[in-house]
């Protein structure tokens, strides 16, 4: 079974893309998964060529048949999500964005005027990149279920890895500690947390570490732009050691990195300082997988 390496951060903007895209460049024999379905960006740096695309079904939403509705108002009173309204013509309708798919209105309607309709909330793709196959996804604006979409793309990557005997899966997770991150780290062999040397960076690392612990996933930390605050970097690494996290390495601040990303170059390829740091991080990570 393939081994899954996940890269996450406690919040956006810490340098997760710098590290993940650089690992995608250097890591052999892997499938890349972009699990940041709310704001996927790995495809921007990896120039994928689309091979396969499918729609992703979200939770079904209530729909009212105005021809059956007898205007009893029961559904509107019962809906705890304020999703049922009356339009200027006096017809009842459901606001899809607010509907939480609980089905209470459907069960309660005396006229059997309410049904649940399947809706599509995103798309997922398989693409070829210069660094191997990538499975990625896009959630439609305002759509929910990003956790399920992440689970789906990870599952698809595991199916392909089994079929093609690919030993590693590299997953670019979303920032934070919400539902998509839980789906991302669930079942991972090792999680790399990208942190930054700021008070918020340490606080976010503590939250992410607790999340990894609750899923019994081993984790390590990389401090990006470590030289902007070496005292805070030391505190982050001390926290990591105390909590049983691996200290995997440091990436220095380098103005080359934003320039590389603006020019759609992978930082590993464009910036010597990143290459040196990532080579060491990669060697340590592979020992942990
Ligand atoms: S409960 Fe059924 S009949 Fe009553 S207002 Fe709602 S849709 Fe119409
Ligand atoms: S399914 Fe639940 S959330 Fe959706 S409209 Fe009906 S009662 Fe409201």
């Amino acid at each position: 079974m393939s081994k899954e390496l996940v890269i996450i951060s406690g919040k956006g903007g810490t340098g997760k893309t710098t590290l993940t895209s650089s690992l995608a460049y250097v890591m052999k024999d892997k499938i890349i998964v972009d699990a940041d379905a709310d704001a996927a960006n790995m495809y921007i740096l990896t120039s994928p060529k689309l091979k396969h695309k499918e729609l992703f079904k979200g939770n079904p939403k209530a729909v009212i048949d105005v021809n059956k509705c007898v205007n009893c108002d029961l559904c509107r009173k019962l809906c705890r999500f304020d999703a049922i309204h009356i339009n200027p013509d006096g017809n009842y309708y459901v606001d899809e964005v607010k509907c939480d798919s609980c089905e209470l209105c459907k069960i309660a309607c005396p006229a059997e005027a309410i049904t649940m309709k399947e809706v599509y909330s995103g798309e997922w793709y398989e693409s070829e990149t210069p660094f191997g196959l990538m499975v990625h996804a896009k959630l439609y604006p305002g759509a929910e279920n990003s956790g399920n979409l992440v689970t789906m793309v990870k599952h698809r990557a595991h199916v392909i890895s089994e079929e093609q005997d690919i030993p590693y899966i590299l997953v670019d997770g979303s920032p934070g500690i919400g539902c998509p991150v839980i789906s991302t780290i669930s079942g991972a062999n090792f999680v790399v947390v990208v942190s930054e040397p700021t008070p918020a960076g340490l606080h976010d690392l503590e939250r992410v570490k607790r999340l990894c612990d609750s899923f019994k996933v081993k984790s390590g930390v990389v401090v990006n732009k470590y030289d902007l605050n070496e005292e805070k970097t030391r505190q982050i690494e001390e926290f990591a050691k105390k909590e049983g996290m691996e200290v995997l390495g440091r990436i220095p601040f380098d103005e080359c990195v934003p320039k590389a990303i603006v020019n759609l170059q992978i930082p590993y390829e464009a910036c010597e300082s990143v290459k040196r740091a990532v080579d060491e991080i990669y060697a340590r990570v592979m020992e942990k997988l």
Side-chain angles (χ1 to χ4, degrees):
M1 188 162 170
S2 54
K3 298 198 168 166
E4 194 180 306
L5 173 66
V6 168
I7 318 296
I8 57 172
S9 57
K11 70 174 185 64
T14 60
K16 183 169 64 65
T17 301
T18 298
L19 181 62
T20 316
S21 62
S22 296
L23 286 173
Y25 188 95
V26 75
M27 194 175 189
K28 307 274 184 292
D29 302 325
K30 85 287 179 186
I31 295 175
I32 304 164
V33 172
D34 191 341
D36 192 356
D38 287 314
N41 58 14
M42 273 290 280
Y43 74 90
I44 296 172
L45 288 180
T46 52
S47 313
K49 284 205 177 77
L50 187 66
K51 280 180 61 187
H52 182 74
K53 168 182 162 181
E54 285 200 27
L55 293 169
F56 172 71
K57 275 185 194 150
N59 288 336
K61 304 290 181 180
V63 179
I64 295 174
D65 182 342
V66 293
N67 295 317
K68 289 184 179 174
C69 174
V70 294
N71 297 358
C72 72
D73 205 35
L74 184 59
C75 56
R76 198 177 64 83
K77 285 181 185 150
L78 285 175
C79 180
R80 291 190 298 139
F81 298 91
D82 190 29
I84 298 179
H85 302 277
I86 306 167
N87 68 19
D89 295 332
N91 292 324
Y92 283 74
Y93 72 96
V94 177
D95 179 340
E96 260 191 22
V97 175
K98 286 185 173 176
C99 175
D100 198 55
S101 314
C102 73
E103 299 198 18
L104 181 60
C105 57
K106 179 187 166 216
I107 294 163
C109 176
E112 297 185 353
I114 302 178
T115 51
M116 302 303 291
K117 181 187 76 165
E118 284 189 328
V119 293
Y120 292 104
S121 59
E123 296 168 4
W124 64 272
Y125 320 91
E126 289 170 22
S127 301
E128 285 292 352
T129 81
F131 318 105
L133 192 69
M134 178 159 80
V135 186
H136 49 125
K138 179 176 73 177
L139 203 65
Y140 293 152
E144 53 196 23
N145 264 346
S146 51
N148 284 355
L149 186 52
V150 168
T151 301
M152 221 262 350
V153 291
K154 276 187 33 164
H155 173 72
R156 184 62 199 147
H158 276 280
V159 169
I160 297 169
S161 72
E162 289 297 314
E163 286 171 356
Q164 300 185 17
D165 202 18
I166 298 172
Y168 300 110
I169 296 174
L170 173 65
V171 184
D172 184 23
S174 48
I177 55 168
C179 187
V181 182
I182 290 169
S183 299
T184 304
I185 67 169
S186 171
N189 293 84
F190 194 77
V191 170
V192 176
V193 184
V194 182
S195 186
E196 60 177 12
T198 63
L202 180 56
H203 174 255
D204 293 334
L205 178 64
E206 289 169 6
R207 296 192 315 156
V208 174
K209 169 64 174 141
R210 279 202 294 277
L211 188 68
C212 290
D213 285 350
S214 60
F215 283 84
K216 298 189 172 27
V217 181
K218 288 184 192 156
S219 58
V221 65
V222 168
V223 185
N224 187 38
K225 303 180 203 163
Y226 80 90
D227 43 351
L228 292 184
N229 187 338
E230 297 208 26
E231 172 56 22
K232 193 55 77 179
T233 294
R234 195 185 56 72
Q235 288 175 20
I236 287 171
E237 291 177 346
E238 268 182 13
F239 165 81
K241 283 178 194 159
K242 187 161 70 72
E243 295 293 322
M245 289 180 94
E246 297 291 333
V247 176
L248 298 162
R250 300 170 165 187
I251 301 174
F253 172 74
D254 191 335
E255 286 179 358
C256 168
V257 172
K259 284 183 191 157
I261 290 173
V262 165
N263 290 316
L264 301 182
Q265 286 180 295
I266 301 229
Y268 182 93
E269 195 183 6
C271 310
E272 187 55 34
S273 63
V274 173
K275 181 180 183 307
R276 276 197 302 273
V278 170
D279 279 341
E280 286 181 20
I281 292 163
Y282 176 59
R284 290 193 189 115
V285 164
M286 294 308 283
E287 283 172 16
K288 302 293 160 202
L289 273 182

